[in-house]
mmCIF file of all heavy atoms in Angstrom:
data_model
loop_
_atom_site.group_PDB
_atom_site.id
_atom_site.type_symbol
_atom_site.label_atom_id
_atom_site.label_comp_id
_atom_site.label_asym_id
_atom_site.label_seq_id
_atom_site.Cartn_x
_atom_site.Cartn_y
_atom_site.Cartn_z
ATOM 1 N N ARG A 1 156.407 -24.905 -39.844
ATOM 2 C CA ARG A 1 157.589 -24.863 -40.621
ATOM 3 C C ARG A 1 158.716 -24.045 -40.055
ATOM 4 O O ARG A 1 158.329 -22.931 -39.783
ATOM 5 C CB ARG A 1 157.265 -24.738 -42.077
ATOM 6 C CG ARG A 1 156.333 -25.894 -42.746
ATOM 7 C CD ARG A 1 156.244 -25.766 -44.141
ATOM 8 N NE ARG A 1 157.438 -25.509 -44.955
ATOM 9 C CZ ARG A 1 157.716 -25.864 -46.120
ATOM 10 N NH1 ARG A 1 156.844 -26.629 -46.696
ATOM 11 N NH2 ARG A 1 158.785 -25.603 -46.683
ATOM 12 N N PRO A 2 159.929 -24.383 -40.259
ATOM 13 C CA PRO A 2 161.053 -23.434 -39.751
ATOM 14 C C PRO A 2 161.063 -22.082 -40.313
ATOM 15 O O PRO A 2 161.537 -21.157 -39.872
ATOM 16 C CB PRO A 2 162.299 -24.225 -39.942
ATOM 17 C CG PRO A 2 161.961 -25.353 -41.020
ATOM 18 C CD PRO A 2 160.524 -25.493 -40.854
ATOM 19 N N GLU A 3 160.561 -22.074 -41.709
ATOM 20 C CA GLU A 3 160.589 -20.754 -42.426
ATOM 21 C C GLU A 3 159.498 -19.838 -41.924
ATOM 22 O O GLU A 3 159.607 -18.605 -42.309
ATOM 23 C CB GLU A 3 160.506 -21.029 -43.884
ATOM 24 C CG GLU A 3 161.434 -21.940 -44.517
ATOM 25 C CD GLU A 3 160.780 -23.397 -44.643
ATOM 26 O OE1 GLU A 3 159.954 -23.786 -43.828
ATOM 27 O OE2 GLU A 3 161.290 -24.197 -45.436
ATOM 28 N N THR A 4 158.473 -20.280 -41.307
ATOM 29 C CA THR A 4 157.410 -19.380 -40.792
ATOM 30 C C THR A 4 157.862 -18.553 -39.756
ATOM 31 O O THR A 4 158.554 -18.803 -38.778
ATOM 32 C CB THR A 4 156.249 -20.296 -40.242
ATOM 33 O OG1 THR A 4 155.718 -21.135 -41.376
ATOM 34 C CG2 THR A 4 155.092 -19.466 -39.808
ATOM 35 N N GLN A 5 157.528 -17.216 -39.824
ATOM 36 C CA GLN A 5 157.901 -16.180 -39.007
ATOM 37 C C GLN A 5 156.478 -15.336 -38.663
ATOM 38 O O GLN A 5 155.541 -15.508 -39.416
ATOM 39 C CB GLN A 5 158.854 -15.179 -39.662
ATOM 40 C CG GLN A 5 160.079 -15.767 -40.093
ATOM 41 C CD GLN A 5 160.992 -14.829 -40.718
ATOM 42 O OE1 GLN A 5 161.018 -13.626 -40.542
ATOM 43 N NE2 GLN A 5 161.790 -15.300 -41.712
ATOM 44 N N ARG A 6 156.653 -14.570 -37.636
ATOM 45 C CA ARG A 6 155.504 -13.703 -37.240
ATOM 46 C C ARG A 6 155.859 -12.302 -37.660
ATOM 47 O O ARG A 6 156.937 -11.735 -37.433
ATOM 48 C CB ARG A 6 155.341 -13.759 -35.788
ATOM 49 C CG ARG A 6 154.958 -15.193 -35.369
ATOM 50 C CD ARG A 6 154.212 -15.442 -34.144
ATOM 51 N NE ARG A 6 152.800 -15.035 -34.177
ATOM 52 C CZ ARG A 6 151.847 -15.766 -34.463
ATOM 53 N NH1 ARG A 6 152.013 -17.079 -34.704
ATOM 54 N NH2 ARG A 6 150.579 -15.437 -34.415
ATOM 55 N N LEU A 7 154.939 -11.698 -38.567
ATOM 56 C CA LEU A 7 155.236 -10.403 -39.071
ATOM 57 C C LEU A 7 154.080 -9.417 -38.503
ATOM 58 O O LEU A 7 152.967 -9.740 -38.250
ATOM 59 C CB LEU A 7 154.924 -10.495 -40.486
ATOM 60 C CG LEU A 7 155.803 -11.442 -41.450
ATOM 61 C CD1 LEU A 7 155.338 -11.375 -42.789
ATOM 62 C CD2 LEU A 7 157.278 -11.204 -41.190
ATOM 63 N N ASP A 8 154.465 -8.142 -38.510
ATOM 64 C CA ASP A 8 153.609 -7.015 -38.215
ATOM 65 C C ASP A 8 152.950 -6.588 -39.549
ATOM 66 O O ASP A 8 153.569 -5.951 -40.373
ATOM 67 C CB ASP A 8 154.332 -5.897 -37.551
ATOM 68 C CG ASP A 8 153.345 -4.647 -37.237
ATOM 69 O OD1 ASP A 8 152.117 -4.755 -37.556
ATOM 70 O OD2 ASP A 8 153.794 -3.794 -36.521
ATOM 71 N N LEU A 9 151.759 -7.025 -39.721
ATOM 72 C CA LEU A 9 150.978 -6.786 -40.993
ATOM 73 C C LEU A 9 149.820 -5.698 -40.681
ATOM 74 O O LEU A 9 148.816 -5.723 -41.323
ATOM 75 C CB LEU A 9 150.500 -8.073 -41.533
ATOM 76 C CG LEU A 9 151.474 -9.000 -42.023
ATOM 77 C CD1 LEU A 9 150.986 -10.244 -42.644
ATOM 78 C CD2 LEU A 9 152.532 -8.377 -43.066
ATOM 79 N N SER A 10 150.050 -4.933 -39.564
ATOM 80 C CA SER A 10 149.010 -3.971 -39.261
ATOM 81 C C SER A 10 149.158 -2.628 -40.173
ATOM 82 O O SER A 10 148.228 -1.884 -40.131
ATOM 83 C CB SER A 10 149.187 -3.605 -37.780
ATOM 84 O OG SER A 10 150.330 -3.075 -37.550
ATOM 85 N N HIS A 11 150.129 -2.537 -40.937
ATOM 86 C CA HIS A 11 150.341 -1.236 -41.678
ATOM 87 C C HIS A 11 150.274 -1.550 -43.189
ATOM 88 O O HIS A 11 150.562 -0.666 -44.100
ATOM 89 C CB HIS A 11 151.663 -0.659 -41.451
ATOM 90 C CG HIS A 11 151.692 -0.341 -39.935
ATOM 91 N ND1 HIS A 11 151.015 0.622 -39.328
ATOM 92 C CD2 HIS A 11 152.513 -0.798 -38.999
ATOM 93 C CE1 HIS A 11 151.138 0.616 -38.014
ATOM 94 N NE2 HIS A 11 152.202 -0.259 -37.803
ATOM 95 N N ILE A 12 149.888 -2.753 -43.615
ATOM 96 C CA ILE A 12 149.683 -3.021 -45.045
ATOM 97 C C ILE A 12 148.465 -2.479 -45.593
ATOM 98 O O ILE A 12 147.580 -2.038 -44.818
ATOM 99 C CB ILE A 12 149.946 -4.570 -45.383
ATOM 100 C CG1 ILE A 12 148.833 -5.450 -44.762
ATOM 101 C CG2 ILE A 12 151.338 -5.056 -44.961
ATOM 102 C CD1 ILE A 12 148.868 -6.812 -45.089
ATOM 103 N N LYS A 13 148.232 -2.569 -46.980
ATOM 104 C CA LYS A 13 147.121 -2.019 -47.523
ATOM 105 C C LYS A 13 145.817 -2.562 -46.922
ATOM 106 O O LYS A 13 144.884 -1.758 -46.607
ATOM 107 C CB LYS A 13 147.125 -2.232 -49.090
ATOM 108 C CG LYS A 13 145.960 -1.534 -49.791
ATOM 109 C CD LYS A 13 146.109 -1.747 -51.165
ATOM 110 C CE LYS A 13 145.023 -0.917 -52.059
ATOM 111 N NZ LYS A 13 145.134 -1.259 -53.431
ATOM 112 N N GLN A 14 145.658 -3.768 -46.731
ATOM 113 C CA GLN A 14 144.512 -4.364 -46.118
ATOM 114 C C GLN A 14 145.146 -5.058 -44.625
ATOM 115 O O GLN A 14 145.498 -6.206 -44.808
ATOM 116 C CB GLN A 14 143.786 -5.378 -47.008
ATOM 117 C CG GLN A 14 143.192 -4.683 -48.191
ATOM 118 C CD GLN A 14 142.410 -5.687 -48.900
ATOM 119 O OE1 GLN A 14 142.228 -6.848 -48.727
ATOM 120 N NE2 GLN A 14 141.936 -5.268 -50.094
ATOM 121 N N PRO A 15 145.179 -4.317 -43.721
ATOM 122 C CA PRO A 15 145.883 -4.891 -42.329
ATOM 123 C C PRO A 15 145.264 -6.081 -41.850
ATOM 124 O O PRO A 15 144.044 -6.277 -41.912
ATOM 125 C CB PRO A 15 145.672 -3.746 -41.454
ATOM 126 C CG PRO A 15 144.846 -2.636 -42.126
ATOM 127 C CD PRO A 15 144.544 -3.062 -43.547
ATOM 128 N N LEU A 16 146.126 -6.986 -41.577
ATOM 129 C CA LEU A 16 145.785 -8.302 -40.910
ATOM 130 C C LEU A 16 146.063 -8.358 -39.466
ATOM 131 O O LEU A 16 145.641 -9.201 -38.794
ATOM 132 C CB LEU A 16 146.560 -9.480 -41.659
ATOM 133 C CG LEU A 16 146.270 -9.561 -43.116
ATOM 134 C CD1 LEU A 16 147.046 -10.648 -43.799
ATOM 135 C CD2 LEU A 16 144.825 -9.760 -43.494
ATOM 136 N N GLY A 17 146.919 -7.457 -38.955
ATOM 137 C CA GLY A 17 147.203 -7.488 -37.600
ATOM 138 C C GLY A 17 148.817 -7.274 -37.330
ATOM 139 O O GLY A 17 149.493 -7.395 -38.145
ATOM 140 N N PRO A 18 149.034 -7.158 -35.947
ATOM 141 C CA PRO A 18 150.473 -6.888 -35.648
ATOM 142 C C PRO A 18 151.243 -8.156 -35.460
ATOM 143 O O PRO A 18 152.566 -8.145 -35.296
ATOM 144 C CB PRO A 18 150.327 -6.085 -34.299
ATOM 145 C CG PRO A 18 149.045 -6.591 -33.724
ATOM 146 C CD PRO A 18 148.170 -6.888 -34.934
ATOM 147 N N ASP A 19 150.557 -9.300 -35.401
ATOM 148 C CA ASP A 19 151.491 -10.663 -35.131
ATOM 149 C C ASP A 19 150.819 -11.736 -35.837
ATOM 150 O O ASP A 19 150.049 -12.557 -35.391
ATOM 151 C CB ASP A 19 151.277 -10.920 -33.526
ATOM 152 C CG ASP A 19 152.150 -11.957 -33.127
ATOM 153 O OD1 ASP A 19 153.175 -12.274 -33.685
ATOM 154 O OD2 ASP A 19 151.692 -12.716 -32.161
ATOM 155 N N VAL A 20 151.191 -11.656 -37.106
ATOM 156 C CA VAL A 20 150.533 -12.662 -38.157
ATOM 157 C C VAL A 20 151.713 -13.736 -38.489
ATOM 158 O O VAL A 20 152.648 -13.258 -39.056
ATOM 159 C CB VAL A 20 149.989 -12.013 -39.332
ATOM 160 C CG1 VAL A 20 149.391 -12.877 -40.314
ATOM 161 C CG2 VAL A 20 148.991 -10.804 -38.917
ATOM 162 N N PRO A 21 151.332 -14.996 -38.406
ATOM 163 C CA PRO A 21 152.298 -15.981 -38.960
ATOM 164 C C PRO A 21 152.260 -15.902 -40.541
ATOM 165 O O PRO A 21 151.215 -15.788 -41.061
ATOM 166 C CB PRO A 21 151.706 -17.338 -38.508
ATOM 167 C CG PRO A 21 150.330 -17.159 -38.244
ATOM 168 C CD PRO A 21 150.139 -15.654 -37.851
ATOM 169 N N ALA A 22 153.477 -16.007 -41.065
ATOM 170 C CA ALA A 22 153.576 -16.036 -42.555
ATOM 171 C C ALA A 22 154.861 -16.732 -42.917
ATOM 172 O O ALA A 22 155.801 -16.965 -42.135
ATOM 173 C CB ALA A 22 153.660 -14.504 -43.062
ATOM 174 N N ILE A 23 154.689 -17.313 -44.118
ATOM 175 C CA ILE A 23 155.867 -18.170 -44.598
ATOM 176 C C ILE A 23 156.221 -17.529 -46.001
ATOM 177 O O ILE A 23 155.402 -17.133 -46.771
ATOM 178 C CB ILE A 23 155.471 -19.638 -44.808
ATOM 179 C CG1 ILE A 23 156.653 -20.488 -45.251
ATOM 180 C CG2 ILE A 23 154.353 -19.910 -45.835
ATOM 181 C CD1 ILE A 23 156.365 -21.995 -44.958
ATOM 182 N N PRO A 24 157.497 -17.489 -46.221
ATOM 183 C CA PRO A 24 157.929 -16.847 -47.444
ATOM 184 C C PRO A 24 157.370 -17.711 -48.622
ATOM 185 O O PRO A 24 157.423 -18.909 -48.651
ATOM 186 C CB PRO A 24 159.384 -16.868 -47.472
ATOM 187 C CG PRO A 24 159.838 -16.998 -46.060
ATOM 188 C CD PRO A 24 158.704 -17.802 -45.380
ATOM 189 N N LEU A 25 156.926 -17.094 -49.650
ATOM 190 C CA LEU A 25 156.294 -17.678 -50.810
ATOM 191 C C LEU A 25 157.445 -18.622 -51.496
ATOM 192 O O LEU A 25 157.186 -19.744 -51.910
ATOM 193 C CB LEU A 25 155.881 -16.761 -51.794
ATOM 194 C CG LEU A 25 155.236 -17.351 -53.187
ATOM 195 C CD1 LEU A 25 154.134 -18.245 -52.832
ATOM 196 C CD2 LEU A 25 154.835 -16.140 -54.093
ATOM 197 N N SER A 26 158.677 -18.259 -51.361
ATOM 198 C CA SER A 26 159.797 -18.961 -51.861
ATOM 199 C C SER A 26 160.073 -20.349 -51.129
ATOM 200 O O SER A 26 160.691 -21.178 -51.686
ATOM 201 C CB SER A 26 161.127 -18.154 -51.883
ATOM 202 O OG SER A 26 161.486 -17.882 -50.605
ATOM 203 N N ALA A 27 159.549 -20.405 -50.040
ATOM 204 C CA ALA A 27 159.723 -21.743 -49.161
ATOM 205 C C ALA A 27 158.584 -22.751 -49.858
ATOM 206 O O ALA A 27 158.916 -23.959 -49.531
ATOM 207 C CB ALA A 27 159.481 -21.525 -47.702
ATOM 208 N N LEU A 28 157.628 -22.334 -50.560
ATOM 209 C CA LEU A 28 156.610 -23.173 -51.019
ATOM 210 C C LEU A 28 156.689 -23.515 -52.572
ATOM 211 O O LEU A 28 156.280 -24.464 -53.062
ATOM 212 C CB LEU A 28 155.313 -22.605 -50.678
ATOM 213 C CG LEU A 28 154.882 -22.229 -49.283
ATOM 214 C CD1 LEU A 28 153.545 -21.623 -49.128
ATOM 215 C CD2 LEU A 28 154.989 -23.608 -48.446
ATOM 216 N N ILE A 29 157.302 -22.550 -53.308
ATOM 217 C CA ILE A 29 157.542 -22.741 -54.629
ATOM 218 C C ILE A 29 158.915 -22.296 -55.187
ATOM 219 O O ILE A 29 159.528 -21.541 -54.455
ATOM 220 C CB ILE A 29 156.359 -21.962 -55.546
ATOM 221 C CG1 ILE A 29 156.606 -20.513 -55.196
ATOM 222 C CG2 ILE A 29 155.062 -22.459 -55.147
ATOM 223 C CD1 ILE A 29 155.855 -19.514 -56.162
ATOM 224 N N HIS A 30 159.239 -22.574 -56.290
ATOM 225 C CA HIS A 30 160.556 -22.099 -56.930
ATOM 226 C C HIS A 30 159.967 -21.142 -57.893
ATOM 227 O O HIS A 30 159.509 -21.581 -58.985
ATOM 228 C CB HIS A 30 161.346 -23.308 -57.505
ATOM 229 C CG HIS A 30 161.940 -24.152 -56.523
ATOM 230 N ND1 HIS A 30 161.258 -25.198 -56.093
ATOM 231 C CD2 HIS A 30 163.113 -24.144 -55.884
ATOM 232 C CE1 HIS A 30 162.022 -25.913 -55.165
ATOM 233 N NE2 HIS A 30 163.146 -25.128 -54.972
#
């Protein structure tokens, strides 16, 4: 999907990694 981006999620509470695809929740729901 065009809204999907790659994020650095290595510094969040439960780290997932430095290059994680993610889509804004707002792209899936109102």
Side-chain angles (χ1 to χ4, degrees):
R1 288 190 52 149
E3 305 95 334
T4 300
Q5 299 177 32
R6 299 204 75 91
L7 304 178
D8 181 352
L9 300 176
S10 59
H11 303 294
I12 63 173
K13 186 176 181 180
Q14 293 182 6
L16 298 177
D19 186 35
V20 178
I23 188 164
L25 183 60
S26 62
L28 303 177
I29 63 168
H30 294 87

